[in-house]
Amino acid sequence: MCGTNQTAFHEFILLGFHDFHHIKVFLFCLFFVVYVLIVAENCFIITLVSTCHHLHVPMYIFLRNLALADLLLTSNITPKLLQVTWFKGTTISKTNCFIQYYFHCIATYTQSLILTAMAFDRYLAICHPLRYTTLMNQKLCFHLSFWPWAIGIFLIPSEMVLIGQLEFCNTDEIDHFFCDFAPILEMASSDTSKVVFEDFILSILLAFSPFILVIISYICIFVAIIKITSNEGRRKAFSTCSSHLAAVCTYYGPLIAIYMFPVGGNTPYENKLKSLLYTAFTPLINPVLYSMRNQEIKKASRLLFCKSRAKINKMW
């Protein structure tokens, strides 16, 4: 509870990159261009997989869900980031702050589980190729696509209830560009032990455990690739999972640096830059990683482009 001489804050101030206000135009344009590219790339992947029937296979269905999660993650944060950048900080209500954090959790945890599902899919394709179509059937593919969203949506509210019970009396400033877990707790003037424990459990279930499963899957995959006698066979096997492995590194790298192994000397700006990596860089680079060396994506892109051009020519 707030003391007699203290006032409970119901509106917070996001500081963002306030010390770089002298280059706000450059930062605003940079973030805006990156956001436009992220929306365009991920919407293209979603449209491509949805409209091209030969891409209706588990690998690309998971990719479509990953693109949806990337789109949710960046669309939840970037509009406020642009406002914070331009105005050298901006206000956000307590309710909207918690809503932003809620959707941030859904997006990040869903990404974690989808990446795990993709690792399992690659494991079956490389380690059990003859049984792949039997094991990775339509029903299993549906469950591996549905539950990453459902688990986050239904489990995270328990943490949000505890966060909603916190009192904020000491300060109303969040030294970040969005409402993240650590900055929210730093402002709290009431006991946060229950919230920390709840978040720890969710992180173990929805982030750390999936990461361990991904590592185990790739250990099995690498062992299977080593057993392949021909160099061409090894190259083809590795190419089927190289894009996903790169996406795993770009996703988990910043998260581990921020949340699992934080360095005591890290400044708030270092943590902000790391946060930018997984909220902006990862959604930007994922479509590129999966499209650059994927012949099926390139083929579907050309087909979609030809169909669109034919429709435009008919209209004119």
Side-chain angles (χ1 to χ4, degrees):
M1 295 292 291
C2 296
T4 54
N5 295 326
Q6 292 178 311
T7 302
F9 294 105
H10 299 284
E11 191 174 68
F12 305 137
I13 301 174
L14 289 169
L15 298 180
F17 299 92
H18 54 91
D19 285 349
F20 294 89
H21 190 62
H22 56 288
I23 56 170
K24 72 171 186 178
V25 175
F26 169 76
L27 290 177
F28 181 90
C29 293
L30 176 64
F31 296 149
F32 180 77
V33 170
V34 169
Y35 179 57
V36 171
L37 289 174
I38 289 172
V39 172
E41 289 176 353
N42 285 282
C43 285
F44 178 74
I45 291 293
I46 294 168
T47 303
L48 199 65
V49 176
S50 300
T51 56
C52 296
H53 295 290
H54 69 281
L55 295 182
H56 291 178
V57 294
M59 176 180 176
Y60 299 108
I61 292 174
F62 295 143
L63 178 58
R64 180 177 60 186
N65 280 274
L66 184 63
L68 281 170
D70 283 337
L71 201 56
L72 173 61
L73 177 66
T74 190
S75 296
N76 178 51
I77 291 174
T78 307
K80 205 66 179 178
L81 169 61
L82 293 173
Q83 186 180 356
V84 168
T85 302
W86 187 259
F87 293 105
K88 195 181 177 181
T90 187
T91 59
I92 183 172
S93 69
K94 181 179 176 180
T95 301
N96 288 338
C97 182
F98 294 164
I99 291 174
Q100 186 186 56
Y101 176 66
Y102 173 67
F103 283 107
H104 170 69
C105 289
I106 290 176
T108 52
Y109 287 143
T110 299
Q111 280 182 316
S112 174
L113 296 174
I114 288 292
L115 287 170
T116 307
M118 296 175 80
F120 179 64
D121 176 68
R122 293 301 85 202
Y123 162 76
L124 292 180
I126 294 174
C127 299
H128 304 281
L130 299 179
R131 301 175 57 198
Y132 174 74
T133 54
T134 303
L135 296 172
M136 186 56 71
N137 52 43
Q138 189 174 4
K139 183 178 180 181
L140 179 59
C141 180
F142 169 78
H143 284 296
L144 291 176
S145 301
F146 171 77
W147 285 109
W149 292 96
I151 288 173
I153 291 172
F154 290 116
L155 287 184
I156 295 171
S158 61
E159 180 179 349
M160 300 307 300
V161 170
L162 294 176
I163 292 177
Q165 295 174 352
L166 297 177
E167 292 284 347
F168 301 91
C169 312
N170 299 324
T171 180
D172 61 345
E173 293 184 346
I174 301 178
D175 194 6
H176 213 305
F177 58 87
F178 73 100
C179 293
D180 202 2
F181 183 70
I184 291 176
L185 292 194
E186 287 176 2
M187 292 192 306
S189 53
S190 52
D191 181 31
T192 61
S193 58
K194 291 182 180 179
V195 182
V196 171
F197 179 75
E198 178 79 12
D199 184 74
F200 175 77
I201 297 299
L202 289 177
S203 297
I204 292 294
L205 292 175
L206 304 181
F208 182 73
S209 296
F211 179 58
I212 296 300
L213 291 176
V214 169
I215 292 176
I216 293 173
S217 297
Y218 271 101
I219 291 174
C220 297
I221 288 171
F222 290 145
V223 169
I225 291 176
I226 290 172
K227 291 181 180 179
I228 298 175
T229 55
S230 66
N231 291 330
E232 181 64 18
R234 289 181 181 178
R235 187 191 65 79
K236 288 183 178 180
F238 184 75
S239 66
T240 62
C241 59
S242 58
S243 298
H244 175 259
L245 184 59
V248 168
C249 293
T250 58
Y251 172 75
Y252 280 107
L255 289 183
I256 291 173
I258 297 172
Y259 300 111
M260 296 181 67
F261 299 106
V263 180
N266 275 6
T267 66
Y269 281 105
E270 289 174 328
N271 286 329
K272 292 174 194 177
L273 290 175
K274 291 175 184 176
S275 296
L276 275 177
L277 287 178
Y278 77 89
T279 58
F281 176 75
T282 299
L284 177 67
I285 203 68
N286 274 345
V288 178
L289 290 174
Y290 282 99
S291 304
M292 191 165 49
R293 297 180 60 186
N294 192 299
Q295 296 302 319
E296 290 296 323
I297 291 288
K298 291 180 180 179
K299 179 182 176 182
S301 301
R302 288 192 293 266
L303 183 62
L304 182 64
F305 176 75
C306 292
K307 287 182 178 180
S308 301
R309 187 170 62 178
K311 289 181 179 180
I312 293 174
N313 291 336
K314 285 183 180 180
M315 291 175 60
W316 292 97

